[in-house]
Amino acid sequence: MSFAVAGDAYDRFMGRYSRELAPKVIEFAGIESGMRVVDIGCGPGALTDELDSLVGRESVSAADPSEPFVAACAERLPGADVRRAEAEALPWEDGRFDAALAQLVVNFMQDPLAGVGEMRRVVRSGGVVAGCTWDYSDGMQLLRAFWDAAAALDPDAPDEGRTMRYRSAEELDELWRRVGLDEVATAPLVVKTTYAGFDELWQPLTLGVGPAGAYCSGLEPKRQEALRDELLVRLRSPEGPFTLSAKAWAVRGIR
Ligand SMILES: C[S@@+](CC[C@H](N)C(=O)[O-])C[C@H]1O[C@@H](n2cnc3c(N)ncnc32)[C@H](O)[C@@H]1O
């Protein structure tokens, strides 16, 4: 899996969903003007940008281990406190923030218990820690159709609906409680995106972004073409614009 790709490639593949998801995550987490917030695993900054609009640049911080993503986020929000760091070792002191958010990140952490534990550490007592992950098994139409198409051609394809952790409300609830957060609550968040045509969906899949992109870009040309054809059929061969929806599970808790 790779996030060592250009921010633009990410935005065309997944960022278009992240932008829609960000206001819903912010509302679910109860973020308000005047709060100091940190975006963990910020990527090129879809959520950071939305937080910036709400709380102001001096009150928003962000971290991600991917060098190109940190650069893209810093360029998007000049002057913001954007750092290259993993969730498991955050470079801020205890209790620095009112809230720590991680949008579509917990399932990618090496050690989610440590990563969410660090998010808890950097928020003050009474502060909120929130995150969300796609429902990879059902409800994230792009990835579901992609992995179903891949499995039809290759039974060993690493379907994220099987391999991803923290893709259900129950798993997230349990993780948040194990980290020692209180008043834990979960909810589904659903977003939509409209593609101008099939190529707008397919092209970014060939750029190596995330597990699906890494799988797709690693195929030899003939197998990649077969996958393209299979995916096209599974999406009902759209000839013009079409809309897909995506469901994430969100979780929040109080320190
Ligand atoms: C699916 S992207 C989500 C990016 C962004 N939050 C968004 O909503 O678009 C997953 C992000 O998690 C980051 N990531 C991977 N491992 C991480 C870790 N251990 N700690 C923090 N972030 C991590 C990746 O670099 C990538 O930017």
Side-chain angles (χ1 to χ4, degrees), residues 58-112:
E58 65 291 344
S59 299
V60 67
S61 298
D64 198 286
S66 159
E67 200 164 342
F69 286 0
V70 167
C73 187
E75 193 180 314
R76 191 171 186 163
L77 299 167
D81 175 23
V82 184
R83 308 206 192 171
R84 187 169 180 212
E86 297 191 334
E88 292 87 340
L90 293 177
W92 290 285
E93 72 272 18
D94 295 7
R96 161 82 173 267
F97 302 103
D98 298 303
L101 310 182
Q103 175 170 287
L104 308 175
V105 177
V106 170
N107 51 310
F108 291 112
M109 292 179 187
Q110 295 271 357
D111 183 347

Side-chain angles (χ1 to χ4, degrees), residues 21-34:
L21 199 52
K24 292 180 188 269
V25 169
I26 286 173
E27 187 187 352
F28 174 76
I31 308 302
E32 292 172 355
S33 164

Side-chain angles (χ1 to χ4, degrees), residues 118-138:
E118 275 287 273
M119 291 171 71
R120 179 182 181 276
R121 179 185 66 74
V122 298
V123 303
R124 64 168 170 82
S125 172
V128 66
V129 175
C132 69
T133 52
W134 292 128
D135 182 339
Y136 289 92
S137 316
D138 183 30

